[in-house]
Amino acid sequence: MKFSLMNPNGTEKSYRVLPPEAENDLSIDFILDALTDKQNERPHLRGMLTRIPMDPEIIRFRHDIFEDFLRFPQLREAMSELVLKLADLRDLERFQMDRDSSALWSLINRLREIDDYIACIRMIKDTLNSMDITSQGMRDLRDLVTSIDRESGFDELKADIDETMMKAQRLKSVTIGVNLDKLLRPEFAGIVSLNDTKFTDSGLMSRFKGFTDKKDDLRHGANLGDNHRFHATTPSSSKISMGMVVTEGSTHDIQLQDNGATGKDPLSDAMRKQVTEIMRHTVNEIKSKIKKYVKINGYSLISLMPEILFYNRWAELTEKLQATGMPVCKPEITEPDDRNCTFKDVYNLKLAINKIRGEEINIITNDFDFNDERRIYILTGPNRGGKTIFTQAIGLAMLMAQWGVYIPASAASVSPCDNIYTHFPADENDTVDLGRLGEESQRLSGIFKVATRYSLLLLNESLATTSVAEGVFIAKDVVKSMRYLGCRAIFNTHMHELACSVGEINAAVEGDSLAESLITGVHDGERSFKVSIAPPQGVSYAADIAKKYGVTFDRIKEEIDSKEPLP
């Protein structure tokens, strides 16, 4: 089992995937924009934001780790550096899958990889030992890297790597022997030696020209002299020595078949294959030594990269929220069977992000709860009175609580939901075949097929595309179904008659989720964005707004009477 900062050791990964509709309606892309401006980080973060754990043990485990990240900026700095190193390790690991790469190149990059791995282990060990971390997850990570450093023989491995890298980097050139046919085309080739100096003779062409003019310059035999040792292509053993690789074994030349039609010269390809083959044996010997220290194929820390990124980015955003003066808190996590939640001073994260970006916003907070007395709210209020903002606020607060980060509230107690299902107005392009009412009805039916008593349902102006009488008729059955299911829900609507019917709905269906009327407040024509439990205001909202903007009959009559008659 791989080590994880998202799940306690010994626990199974357990989560639900947020439906695409909820991902859109709760503005996950907007939140991603606030978390990072790096495109390569978005897929990792999106994966975290769309997976919802329900197990209280897992959620509390994450909250404790997040708190360590938030308390120690130096931890985030070290972890950011670790993420960069892990990204390099991941890329190097991908390179190792390239079967066409030369054996020596593969070895050099593997040695670099292991060297960076040692650096990662020691950096995180030193960082975690230097601070008072309290979360079980970070203490487990500290113990893990300490044991790896202690038990993996890193000091001896580091010395071996340094020595091997020094020898490998001596290779500067390769001497090739080539046999020619009568037309001077390459016919056979073999490795002569591997050298620690670069070939610098620039008189090759002039000597070749001189050779063509003087027959007696032709050397008899193939002896290259004492300065060159022949290096067999398939040696039985090898060792690195200063200046060349000395090997024992027989010579296996490659026959080069020239393509007469195209004039293709296979010499370069043959040489590459020969160099790869001749070095493979040396490389394998070194790799066999490396394997006694570290597993060559993959490292446990690489899987931590997206998890570290998640905690780092949320800690950075939380600090920005705190800087605006808005409250944030670590929620208490209760058991799922409670299906209760309490939020004090909760607000919409999206508004706070806009405030971070410099917008002048007076954010109104609210107290709100789900409990045995009321788990289904029919929310009414005027246009632009904050119904959608509040509905989103509760959905985002629930998500954040279960992601394992601080939430936008001053205090909270949350019983996790198994998923969040949303029903917001659909795009007109998505309703061509069924019509708006048909599309809405189909989506609502689909939600009830998968929702459970542990789910959170968020409905925003649902069934508003038909007549009021038809909308109320269907909406009553929807709320009755919510009560029978036993879920938590907010249904924000302009259908005041639906809110007036909560008593009738509660009496008509047995269940342990009671419906309640919730309103957004307007005082003296001013929107307060405060919510409170109360019967729907009905036309009183319209009267307040009409009075404020001068669209009452008396006010309009006064304006008409005051006009100058036309000439």
Side-chain angles (χ1 to χ4, degrees):
M1 181 181 296
K2 289 184 178 180
F3 183 85
S4 173
L5 291 175
M6 305 304 287
N7 299 280
N9 289 334
T11 61
E12 293 293 330
K13 291 183 179 179
S14 176
Y15 56 82
R16 299 289 183 90
V17 177
L18 189 69
E21 296 80 9
E23 187 178 336
N24 178 69
D25 295 337
L26 296 178
S27 304
I28 297 300
D29 279 331
F30 182 87
I31 295 171
L32 279 171
D33 290 339
L35 289 172
T36 182
D37 58 2
K38 297 179 174 62
Q39 288 300 315
N40 63 312
E41 294 182 356
R42 291 177 71 94
H44 298 296
L45 292 172
R46 182 185 295 279
M48 300 288 185
L49 300 186
T50 53
R51 294 197 291 264
I52 312 173
M54 187 182 181
D55 186 337
E57 181 185 1
I58 291 175
I59 298 171
R60 295 179 192 127
F61 176 82
R62 294 184 181 188
H63 275 131
D64 292 343
I65 292 176
F66 174 75
E67 221 166 25
D68 275 339
F69 274 78
L70 187 61
R71 286 193 305 126
F72 295 111
Q74 64 270 39
L75 175 62
R76 298 204 300 274
E77 184 178 346
M79 287 298 191
S80 294
E81 185 177 347
L82 179 62
V83 165
L84 295 176
K85 288 184 178 292
L86 293 178
D88 288 340
L89 287 178
R90 180 196 58 195
D91 291 339
L92 282 167
E93 188 68 17
R94 288 172 180 168
F95 279 132
Q96 305 312 315
M97 301 175 186
D98 184 3
R99 295 180 179 178
D100 293 331
S101 62
S102 76
L104 184 61
W105 182 90
S106 173
L107 171 64
I108 296 302
N109 282 279
R110 180 52 57 88
L111 294 178
R112 282 178 48 212
E113 179 182 358
I114 296 172
D115 203 37
D116 284 345
Y117 178 65
I118 295 172
C120 282
I121 292 289
R122 289 187 163 167
M123 181 189 71
I124 195 61
K125 182 196 73 171
D126 293 341
T127 299
L128 294 176
N129 280 317
S130 68
M131 57 188 63
D132 183 26
I133 54 175
T134 59
S135 67
Q136 186 62 51
M138 297 307 288
R139 292 201 302 266
D140 288 344
L141 178 59
R142 180 182 59 194
D143 293 344
L144 173 64
V145 295
T146 300
S147 65
I148 291 174
D149 186 43
R150 182 178 60 248
E151 299 169 5
S152 298
F154 278 172
D155 290 333
E156 186 180 352
L157 173 59
K158 192 84 167 66
D160 281 356
I161 289 176
D162 292 343
E163 181 183 0
T164 303
M165 289 287 283
M166 180 184 68
K167 289 180 179 179
Q169 289 170 355
R170 289 177 182 171
L171 178 61
K172 302 299 182 183
S173 64
V174 179
T175 304
I176 306 293
V178 182
N179 288 345
L180 306 176
D181 66 9
K182 292 181 179 180
L183 297 178
L184 302 183
R185 295 175 301 186
E187 190 175 35
F188 296 94
I191 303 294
V192 176
S193 66
L194 305 178
N195 313 306
D196 66 346
T197 58
K198 290 186 177 181
F199 179 76
T200 58
D201 191 341
S202 60
L204 180 63
M205 290 306 296
S206 62
R207 286 209 303 275
F208 178 76
K209 187 176 183 296
F211 156 71
T212 59
D213 295 334
K214 298 180 181 180
K215 290 185 178 181
D216 57 355
D217 280 351
L218 183 63
R219 175 179 293 181
H220 297 284
N223 183 7
L224 297 177
D226 294 336
N227 292 331
H228 299 276
R229 296 284 302 281
F230 194 82
H231 190 154
T233 58
T234 55
S236 57
S237 65
S238 63
K239 62 179 180 178
I240 296 179
S241 65
M242 185 63 177
M244 64 193 73
V245 177
V246 181
T247 63
E248 300 172 0
S250 58
T251 303
H252 294 271
D253 295 329
I254 293 179
Q255 184 167 4
L256 307 174
Q257 297 180 356
D258 181 37
N259 187 328
T262 63
K264 179 181 177 182
D265 182 358
L267 177 59
S268 296
D269 185 57
M271 289 193 306
R272 180 185 65 80
K273 291 179 179 178
Q274 284 291 286
V275 171
T276 298
E277 178 64 25
I278 199 66
M279 293 178 182
R280 183 172 291 119
H281 299 275
T282 301
V283 167
N284 287 341
E285 183 178 341
I286 297 172
K287 281 186 176 180
S288 66
K289 292 181 180 179
I290 292 173
K291 287 180 180 179
K292 71 181 181 182
Y293 301 106
V294 199
K295 291 181 179 178
I296 289 294
N297 296 316
Y299 306 109
S300 59
L301 287 186
I302 292 178
S303 63
L304 297 183
M305 193 176 82
E307 301 177 358
I308 292 170
L309 186 67
F310 173 85
Y311 288 117
N312 265 351
R313 294 295 177 255
W314 271 110
E316 292 164 358
L317 180 59
T318 301
E319 281 190 339
K320 294 175 184 177
L321 291 174
Q322 291 173 320
T324 67
M326 297 304 298
V328 292
C329 74
K330 176 183 180 180
E332 176 190 1
I333 303 299
T334 62
E335 294 303 311
D337 282 335
D338 294 341
R339 293 175 299 132
N340 297 335
C341 296
T342 300
F343 299 100
K344 182 174 176 57
D345 298 319
V346 68
Y347 57 94
N348 192 311
L349 175 65
K350 290 175 60 180
L351 293 181
I353 290 172
N354 285 333
K355 190 168 186 174
I356 289 171
R357 293 171 175 168
E359 290 189 25
E360 294 292 333
I361 304 174
N362 180 27
I363 299 177
I364 305 299
T365 65
N366 280 287
D367 297 343
F368 178 78
D369 60 5
F370 293 111
N371 56 46
D372 292 341
E373 297 298 321
R374 44 187 178 266
R375 288 199 179 95
I376 301 167
Y377 289 91
I378 312 302
L379 175 61
T380 56
N383 285 330
R384 302 182 62 81
K387 296 191 302 296
T388 300
I389 291 294
F390 178 78
T391 304
Q392 275 188 336
I394 299 305
L396 288 172
M398 286 288 290
L399 275 179
M400 293 172 71
Q402 293 183 226
W403 287 335
V405 300
Y406 278 16
I407 71 170
S410 62
S413 173
V414 174
S415 171
C417 63
D418 63 359
N419 215 329
I420 299 178
Y421 300 100
T422 61
H423 190 276
F424 283 37
D427 189 300
E428 292 285 356
N429 295 327
D430 297 332
T431 63
V432 174
D433 294 334
L434 299 176
R436 290 294 294 271
L437 181 59
E439 187 277 337
E440 285 190 289
S441 299
Q442 184 182 68
R443 285 174 58 204
L444 283 167
S445 174
I447 288 173
F448 282 106
K449 288 178 180 177
V450 293
T452 73
R453 68 197 308 265
Y454 301 106
S455 302
L456 173 62
L457 275 58
L458 302 175
L459 279 62
N460 181 34
E461 297 295 353
S462 299
L463 305 170
T465 56
T466 185
S467 68
V468 174
E470 291 173 336
V472 170
F473 177 82
I474 300 174
K476 284 183 178 180
D477 277 353
V478 169
V479 178
K480 288 177 182 178
S481 301
M482 292 175 177
R483 172 157 164 70
Y484 183 75
L485 179 63
C487 65
R488 286 161 282 185
I490 298 176
F491 188 158
N492 86 57
T493 179
H494 279 94
M495 295 182 287
H496 292 173
E497 185 180 339
L498 176 64
C500 291
S501 303
V502 292
E504 169 196 331
I505 292 170
N506 288 334
V509 179
E510 291 186 1
D512 53 6
S513 286
L514 291 167
E516 184 64 271
S517 171
L518 189 70
I519 65 171
T520 56
V522 173
H523 302 283
D524 297 327
E526 296 288 342
R527 300 188 189 93
S528 71
F529 299 104
K530 278 286 188 182
V531 300
S532 56
I533 294 173
Q537 297 291 297
V539 295
S540 64
Y541 282 120
D544 287 340
I545 296 297
K547 182 178 180 181
K548 176 182 178 182
Y549 292 103
V551 289
T552 63
F553 172 74
D554 290 341
R555 179 62 178 151
I556 293 173
K557 179 176 180 300
E558 183 180 332
E559 290 288 340
I560 293 173
D561 293 342
S562 65
K563 288 180 180 179
E564 293 288 336
L566 291 174

